[in-house]
Amino acid sequence: MPEERNGKNLGRENWKLFESSDVPRKNSRKASLISAPGNLENKVDGIYPQLETNTTAIAEHGDDSILLNGTGHAPQRRVSGYNLPQTGIVDAVKTSLPGRKRSSQTGEMGFNRNRKESTITNDSVGLHPPSSTFGLSLVPEDKDRRMVPKEGSKSLEREQWGRELEFLLSVIGFAVDLGNVWRFPYICFRNGGGAFLIPYFLMIVFGGIPLFYLELVLGQYHRSGCISIWRKICPIFKGVGFAICLIALYVSSYYNTIIAWAVYYLYSSFAYELPWAHCNHTWTNEHCVDQIYSAAHNLTWSNTSESPAHQFFERHVLEMHKSTGIGDLGPPRWQLVICLFFVYVALYFCLWKGVRSSGKAVWVTATFPYVVLFILLIRGATLPGALMGIKFYLQPQWHLLLKPSVWLEAATQVFFSLGPGFGTLIALSSYNNFKNNCYRDAFITSVVNCLTSFMAGFVVFSVMGYMAHILHKDNIEDVTTPGMGLLFVVYGQALTTFSGSVFFSIIFFLMIITLGLDSSFGGLEAVITGFSDEFPNSIGKHREKFVFVFLCVSFCLALCTTTYGGVYLITLLEVYATGPAIMTVVLLEAISVSWFYGIDRLSGDIKAMLGFGPGIYWRLCWKYISPLFLGFMIVMSVVFTSNLEYAGKEYPDWSTGLGWVITLSSALIIPIYALYRYIKEIGSPQQRCFVLLRPESGGQAQPRESLAMAPVPE
């Protein structure tokens, strides 16, 4: 009968042996004599036969039959043991390490330079939680041997995607968001048109795709959320996971409000005529002029004139004319609060059951936008003046490539479009089958993301060319509006000129809603999975309640962005809540994985999952190019940060200070947690760092007590 542990059947044949000889292993004098997969690097003459025999025994008889005693508890064993022959290995250790005295066994992890033997338990090697992918293995220095889970292993009781395609659609849905539709076309035009594609694709190849693939690998192999995964990589950086969760909370507080705007537009589109088509409404003022009508009848259009679409967005949807700026937010707009409530209800029912519910939702939310984009592309290409807009979109302006800000814009667009660092990729891939081809998924998603942005440019600028044509303009700049205005004002105005404008408006804003929801519940899933894995008993077993409470907190924070001056707060959060903070998170993630966890270990993980390791391109990007890429982005974002401005109103100086407080509130979690762990640890400064920079559980973990044997300098 298989052993029972915590009420769950672990099974006797849940693990199989993976061995590879083409993963290089460095010879280090600081490795433990007993470790988890791939960590034994000190060769002790004469003990390999016993180690290999024991590894085979584990592979044949199952992990828990060896590591658990008859009562189901973790027995205490010496470093000679996990069923290793006592005489063989102990004698070998004594022979190979002369002059080192045996210390008495205590329940603590005391560091002793003369210590060569310690008490370890199964808990110290991370037998639980069941989702960990690990197995005890002692290996020679020229081989990578580890225990990996068998397909359907009961010891890895973790929810999985119903189909591999559901995971792929979820990742595509998260990566392809509102930024692909309104941000990419505008910054491409503003930063050199076709010439901008050069830095954009360079950043994709050497920064975006490697970091995207890295997070998919980490999540799939370690099967943990963004918090608990650091126990299996580099414990001192666990604060990165908590920082990610706080950033996700900030993002949800304004991103979901933008979706609520689209819900309001969708509701307003169900009318005989689109309400922003003309100026004869109570919310318009004397500055409202039908730009298209005035151009057709040679009427005067002054600098103070505003289109009905512009006034509908600012005076009716937002009512921002009732606010004087970010220092005067005012009360929430009850109409937007209702729309926001419906957004959060949709998010709850997409998230409450985990991937079982979100995996079904993505069949609609991830595919519908492409149907709409294709329809709008055909419609835009048939409009008069469309060719002029496309020419402006693609015409290279080579001199702009000499501006550093152009390269920064390209890096920022790639970074925020693919989404590494938000914890979502780790969370979504953690529900994958262990053998899922995440290399293929990373490549497909990156290509789809880039092509979507590129296609959205044709959709938007064909319409911009049409607008310039009917307004008798020779320059696209005269009809474009930066940021959110491009999405809700300019494109909204263009929709009023279409035949069947109501139909096109409905499908357009449905597309915006689905694009937003996909990315939103992807970001929220990162937090939910992170806390569920970190606190499996208090939160993991009560996921539905935690999702409800977390969404309520996010909803309350989002109410601030539904106020009259909410758009000013959204602009502030968009710049400071994510920018330098999220880039710092990814930089530390790349450094910790590449330099502390190790490229060789990471390559072994990939080999165990996919059957092939990463090539030199991936290794160079992870270890050198991507960290430089991220460092460049951080420095440039700080250097080029200046006081914000929206709708002609410049933000006060105190708002810049508030923005940096928001940035530091998440970024400082990382060093604060590292200092806390360092103080809490036992031993000399070198010994504490030695312990905290090595995995403490999971597939690459070293038993913490066995680290005490390592000859670390005092």
Side-chain angles (χ1 to χ4, degrees):
M1 292 291 291
E3 301 285 351
E4 298 286 337
R5 191 167 189 263
N6 293 333
K8 295 182 179 180
N9 188 339
L10 296 179
R12 295 176 58 88
E13 297 182 356
N14 296 326
W15 305 90
K16 62 181 179 180
L17 181 65
F18 170 80
E19 181 176 338
S20 173
S21 59
D22 55 357
V23 178
R25 314 274 321 157
K26 295 182 179 179
N27 189 14
S28 169
R29 288 294 179 186
K30 293 187 178 181
S32 169
L33 290 177
I34 185 167
S35 64
N39 280 344
L40 185 68
E41 297 171 349
N42 279 350
K43 182 174 180 179
V44 182
D45 295 335
I47 66 171
Y48 281 163
Q50 291 89 339
L51 303 185
E52 294 179 357
T53 301
N54 183 64
T55 305
T56 305
I58 295 176
E60 292 178 352
H61 300 294
D63 189 29
D64 61 302
S65 64
I66 292 178
L67 295 183
L68 296 179
N69 59 23
T71 63
H73 297 290
Q76 288 190 342
R77 291 173 178 161
R78 303 251 178 206
V79 74
S80 55
Y82 285 109
N83 283 6
L84 296 181
Q86 293 284 338
T87 56
I89 186 169
V90 173
D91 292 342
V93 170
K94 291 179 178 179
T95 302
S96 61
L97 300 175
R100 305 198 70 175
K101 298 179 181 180
R102 172 174 173 177
S103 63
S104 59
Q105 289 183 335
T106 65
E108 301 178 354
M109 194 194 65
F111 285 87
N112 190 325
R113 297 187 64 181
N114 294 325
R115 183 174 184 173
K116 74 174 181 184
E117 190 171 311
S118 65
T119 302
I120 58 179
T121 67
N122 296 326
D123 294 339
S124 69
V125 294
L127 182 59
H128 61 286
S131 61
S132 300
T133 54
F134 65 88
L136 185 65
S137 176
L138 296 171
V139 297
E141 62 187 19
D142 59 341
K143 290 186 178 181
D144 180 60
R145 176 179 294 175
R146 64 190 72 208
M147 304 303 297
V148 298
K150 291 182 179 179
E151 186 173 356
S153 169
K154 292 183 179 180
S155 65
L156 301 180
E157 294 183 358
R158 183 179 181 85
E159 189 178 12
Q160 291 189 1
W161 296 101
R163 303 179 184 178
E164 290 185 2
L165 186 57
E166 290 180 1
F167 165 71
L168 182 59
L169 290 176
S170 296
V171 174
I172 291 175
F174 168 72
V176 179
D177 62 357
L178 298 179
N180 296 79
V181 177
W182 61 267
R183 192 175 187 276
F184 175 82
Y186 176 75
I187 67 168
C188 184
F189 165 72
R190 188 179 66 185
N191 292 287
F196 174 79
L197 298 178
I198 295 176
Y200 176 74
F201 283 115
L202 286 176
M203 295 298 178
I204 279 281
V205 171
F206 294 107
I209 297 179
L211 294 170
F212 189 90
Y213 180 35
L214 174 64
E215 290 207 350
L216 293 188
V217 167
L218 294 177
Q220 182 169 309
Y221 184 83
H222 295 290
R223 303 174 64 84
S224 298
C226 61
I227 300 176
S228 57
I229 194 173
W230 292 100
R231 295 202 306 266
K232 307 174 184 181
I233 298 175
C234 193
I236 201 170
F237 287 105
K238 193 175 181 180
V240 170
F242 292 106
I244 288 173
C245 294
L246 182 57
I247 292 172
L249 184 62
Y250 286 149
V251 172
S252 68
S253 66
Y254 74 84
Y255 193 83
N256 292 327
T257 301
I258 299 177
I259 305 175
W261 296 348
V263 172
Y264 192 90
Y265 267 84
L266 177 65
Y267 165 77
S268 302
S269 299
F270 288 93
Y272 178 76
E273 184 182 48
L274 294 179
W276 57 88
H278 301 290
C279 290
N280 54 343
H281 296 283
T282 57
W283 39 263
T284 58
N285 61 15
E286 67 277 6
H287 298 295
C288 182
V289 178
D290 188 341
Q291 190 177 10
I292 298 175
Y293 179 84
S294 62
H297 295 80
N298 295 320
L299 301 178
T300 303
W301 175 270
S302 66
N303 293 332
T304 60
S305 299
E306 295 176 344
S307 68
H310 182 92
Q311 292 208 346
F312 179 83
F313 177 64
E314 293 191 350
R315 296 182 59 85
H316 183 61
V317 178
L318 304 183
E319 292 191 358
M320 59 182 293
H321 62 284
K322 297 181 180 180
S323 170
T324 58
I326 191 171
D328 178 29
L329 295 181
R333 288 257 296 131
W334 67 267
Q335 296 92 337
L336 292 182
V337 172
I338 293 176
C339 294
L340 184 67
F341 175 76
F342 280 112
V343 170
Y344 273 91
V345 169
L347 288 172
Y348 177 76
F349 286 105
C350 287
L351 292 168
W352 70 322
K353 292 293 186 182
V355 295
R356 287 177 292 173
S357 54
S358 61
K360 303 299 181 291
V362 294
W363 286 96
V364 176
T365 58
T367 56
F368 180 74
Y370 290 98
V371 176
V372 177
L373 278 176
F374 185 70
I375 294 174
L376 293 177
L377 178 62
I378 295 176
R379 176 57 179 151
T382 58
L383 294 172
L387 185 60
M388 180 176 65
I390 294 174
K391 181 180 178 181
F392 269 86
Y393 172 48
L394 296 179
Q395 186 175 16
Q397 301 176 45
W398 302 109
H399 66 280
L400 292 179
L401 292 181
L402 300 177
K403 297 175 62 176
S405 59
V406 174
W407 293 80
L408 176 62
E409 291 268 24
T412 304
Q413 176 62 23
V414 168
F415 182 79
F416 288 107
S417 181
L418 287 176
F422 287 90
T424 303
L425 302 176
I426 293 176
L428 296 179
S429 61
S430 71
Y431 298 107
N432 273 342
N433 183 286
F434 186 74
K435 292 294 185 180
N436 179 66
N437 192 343
C438 56
Y439 175 80
R440 172 202 60 199
D441 295 339
F443 181 77
I444 292 176
T445 305
S446 301
V447 171
V448 169
N449 182 276
C450 295
L451 292 180
T452 302
S453 297
F454 197 56
M455 182 174 72
F458 284 98
V459 172
V460 171
F461 275 91
S462 62
V463 174
M464 295 302 101
Y466 167 65
M467 289 291 292
H469 172 76
I470 62 177
L471 295 174
H472 308 296
K473 302 290 184 180
D474 296 326
N475 195 337
I476 297 295
E477 290 181 330
D478 295 333
V479 296
T480 56
T481 304
M484 291 169 284
L486 178 63
L487 188 64
F488 291 99
V489 177
V490 180
Y491 210 97
Q493 185 69 48
L495 287 172
T496 62
T497 66
F498 289 4
S499 299
S501 59
V502 172
F503 167 75
F504 283 105
S505 180
I506 290 173
I507 65 171
F508 177 76
F509 288 108
L510 273 176
M511 176 190 71
I512 299 303
I513 293 169
T514 53
L515 281 173
L517 285 176
D518 250 356
S519 297
S520 185
F521 67 65
L524 294 172
E525 181 62 51
V527 181
I528 296 167
T529 299
F531 278 95
S532 297
D533 288 343
E534 180 66 12
F535 307 102
N537 294 324
S538 57
I539 294 179
K541 293 182 179 179
H542 307 283
R543 177 188 172 96
E544 296 176 11
K545 296 180 181 178
F546 177 73
V547 171
F548 178 79
V549 172
F550 177 68
L551 291 183
C552 286
V553 173
S554 176
F555 177 79
C556 292
L557 292 177
L559 289 177
C560 297
T561 59
T562 63
T563 58
Y564 298 145
V567 66
Y568 300 107
L569 183 58
I570 289 175
T571 304
L572 183 74
L573 289 172
E574 187 180 14
V575 173
Y576 289 102
T578 53
I582 196 67
M583 287 186 282
T584 301
V585 163
V586 186
L587 175 62
L588 293 177
E589 180 182 290
I591 291 174
S592 60
V593 173
S594 301
W595 292 90
F596 296 110
Y597 186 75
I599 287 294
D600 291 341
R601 282 182 181 175
L602 182 65
S603 300
D605 297 347
I606 298 173
K607 177 79 172 179
M609 290 189 300
L610 307 182
F612 57 89
I616 188 65
Y617 160 74
W618 300 105
R619 289 168 169 261
L620 288 176
C621 285
W622 288 331
K623 197 166 186 178
Y624 302 107
I625 300 177
S626 293
L628 290 175
F629 159 77
L630 292 165
F632 166 79
M633 290 177 61
I634 294 173
V635 172
M636 295 292 287
S637 64
V638 173
V639 170
F640 285 92
T641 297
S642 58
N643 283 6
L644 299 177
E645 180 181 333
Y646 186 85
K649 296 180 181 179
E650 187 172 342
Y651 283 45
D653 293 336
W654 64 264
S655 65
T656 303
L658 175 63
W660 283 111
V661 168
I662 294 174
T663 298
L664 294 176
S665 66
S666 54
L668 286 179
I669 293 178
I670 303 171
I672 290 174
Y673 181 85
L675 181 62
Y676 161 75
R677 285 298 303 269
Y678 179 82
I679 295 173
K680 185 180 177 182
E681 209 48 71
I682 302 173
S684 68
Q686 294 90 339
Q687 291 165 337
R688 296 182 190 192
C689 293
F690 183 57
V691 171
L692 293 176
L693 293 175
R694 280 155 176 75
E696 65 184 30
S697 67
Q700 299 291 337
Q702 243 180 323
R704 294 177 60 80
E705 289 84 349
S706 70
L707 290 171
M709 326 168 12
V712 183
E714 293 282 354

